[in-house]
Amino acid sequence: MTRDATPNPAWWRRARELDLEVALRAAIAAAVPLAILVALGRIDWAAYAAFGGMTAIFGRSEPYRTRLRTVSAAAVVQLSATGLGILLAVVGAGPLLQAVVLALVVAAVIVAYNMLGVTPATPLFAVFGLLVCAALPVDDGSGWQRWGVAAAATAFAWLLAMSGWLLRRAAGAREPRLFRPLPRRTPLRVHGHTDPRLWLNVGQNLVAALGAGAIALALGTGHPYWAVVSAVAVIPPARAAHTVSRAVHRVLGTVAGVGVAALLLWPEPSVWLLVVAVAICQFGAEVLVTRHYGTALVFITPMALTVAHLASPAPLVGLLGDRLLETVVGAAVGVVVVLAARRFVEVVPMPPPTTATPSIEPDGDAGPARP
């Protein structure tokens, strides 16, 4: 009886199909900076570390030469968005100035990410970092220190994202058995800015973000940025199909995730337990987000709420209620914008894709999307 020369148990094959590598590095990027802040007694700066740590989720399944470009671009964007948010907080910027900066960030990130081949090519993470940091008061002259926390977390996440290169080299001939292949190709699109579909996507995101934010402010909710983030999360990337299923997944997944967050936060556990919970949720989100967005949100929502609670403790009922209401508002606005764009391209057909401006699958370029 001949034995298989390369034994590979079924459970191992199934495990290798999951994005365990990116999930592990994203969890470490989230947990280590938070643990350091807890040890230093500055957990109120958790949000800045969290947004820098989001750099680690970029570069999924990319060869390391490509990943160097895309993750570096994401690091610059995350650090810039966080810094702008801190600056807005320092000067006490009102809604109008915040809206102007938001519009500039959305447009710049979409164009830059599409030309540089960054995936996910969405301004979601930059928008979230910008608006949350702008909402956190900075009245003690610690703006530079807060930005320094974000810079340190960003650098750590960048190193984690690139660390697999060393591990794969160390594995040598065993690399194909120990690690997943890296098939994604994301070339530079130097002429991407000439594609009308890119500018349609910019317009969609601007209308959705500003519209959702205005409605949330009019309703007087406590965390209007969640409406903006939810609206942007619904908008598909440039050159992707316009689908509303993402909005449905977002609402249902958020409702379940709020329930999980309530079970986690209501007993008022220790800060260390919450840091562990953030790491577990980040890991689960990255494993599931490319497979089923709604299920991933069961992990994403409690993670976002826990970070928000650590950075700025608030009554739990209000925190959870705001998350639900603003998610519904943002998702509804996003759906309206998606449907309007679908109708627009029926009336004004977009040019066919070219090698410089290719089409993508509905969720193929979306990658991970969160809070």
Side-chain angles (χ1 to χ4, degrees):
M1 185 174 181
T2 304
R3 297 185 61 184
D4 189 351
T6 57
N8 196 1
W11 70 268
W12 177 241
R13 287 199 300 270
R14 291 194 297 269
R16 291 181 75 242
E17 293 174 359
L18 301 175
D19 290 318
L20 299 181
E21 184 180 345
V22 68
L24 182 60
R25 70 172 184 250
I28 295 173
V32 170
L34 290 181
I36 293 173
L37 289 176
V38 171
L40 295 175
R42 295 312 312 241
I43 195 58
D44 54 316
W45 289 357
Y48 310 110
F51 295 124
M54 287 181 182
T55 301
I57 67 177
F58 290 84
R60 181 186 296 263
S61 300
E62 292 178 352
Y64 282 90
R65 182 172 296 181
T66 300
R67 190 180 300 187
L68 177 64
R69 178 183 78 239
T70 59
V71 175
S72 297
V76 171
V77 165
Q78 286 302 113
L79 197 51
S80 299
T82 304
L84 283 172
I86 294 171
L87 181 60
L88 290 174
V90 168
V91 302
L96 181 58
L97 179 56
Q98 290 191 32
V100 171
V101 175
L102 171 63
L104 293 174
V105 167
V106 166
V109 171
I110 292 175
V111 174
Y113 276 4
N114 276 272
M115 293 181 66
L116 292 173
V118 178
T119 53
T122 168
L124 174 65
F125 308 106
V127 166
F128 195 44
L130 171 73
L131 296 183
V132 172
C133 293
L136 295 173
V138 183
D139 51 11
D140 57 357
S142 62
W144 281 109
Q145 292 94 319
R146 296 168 189 247
W147 190 74
V149 169
T154 301
F156 179 63
W158 186 93
L159 289 172
L160 281 174
M162 301 303 298
S163 63
W165 181 79
L166 289 175
L167 296 176
R168 288 169 184 266
R169 285 182 65 87
R174 295 175 297 170
E175 178 188 346
R177 291 188 291 112
L178 296 177
F179 298 98
R180 293 182 66 195
L182 302 174
R184 173 173 282 171
R185 297 293 184 267
T186 52
L188 286 167
R189 302 180 184 120
V190 293
H191 300 294
H193 64 284
T194 63
D195 189 353
R197 296 174 296 175
L198 172 62
W199 294 104
L200 174 63
N201 189 247
V202 171
Q204 284 181 268
N205 278 274
L206 289 177
V207 171
L210 297 177
I215 293 173
L217 287 173
L219 292 174
T221 58
H223 302 82
Y225 53 78
W226 272 330
V228 177
V229 170
S230 295
V232 171
V234 170
I235 307 299
R239 303 178 306 280
H242 294 264
T243 173
V244 299
S245 63
R246 199 171 186 84
V248 176
H249 289 170
R250 181 164 193 85
V251 173
L252 295 180
T254 297
V255 170
V258 166
V260 173
L263 294 174
L264 174 64
L265 296 175
W266 213 287
E268 299 183 358
S270 70
V271 174
W272 287 108
L273 182 59
L274 293 180
V275 170
V276 173
V278 167
I280 293 173
C281 287
Q282 181 74 78
F283 185 89
E286 294 305 325
V287 169
L288 294 169
V289 74
T290 57
R291 291 173 168 262
H292 194 277
Y293 184 49
T295 305
L297 275 161
V298 178
F299 291 87
I300 292 168
T301 299
M303 179 185 65
L305 289 170
T306 300
V307 170
H309 183 70
L310 289 171
S312 182
L316 192 55
V317 173
L319 180 69
L320 300 179
D322 284 347
R323 173 68 168 179
L324 277 176
L325 175 60
E326 289 158 11
T327 294
V328 173
V329 169
V333 172
V335 168
V336 171
V337 172
V338 166
L339 294 176
R342 182 185 295 176
R343 177 59 180 161
F344 177 81
V345 298
E346 291 175 355
V347 176
V348 183
M350 293 288 103
T354 67
T355 55
T357 59
S359 288
I360 59 177
E361 295 299 320
D363 291 316
D365 202 29
R370 17 192 93 33

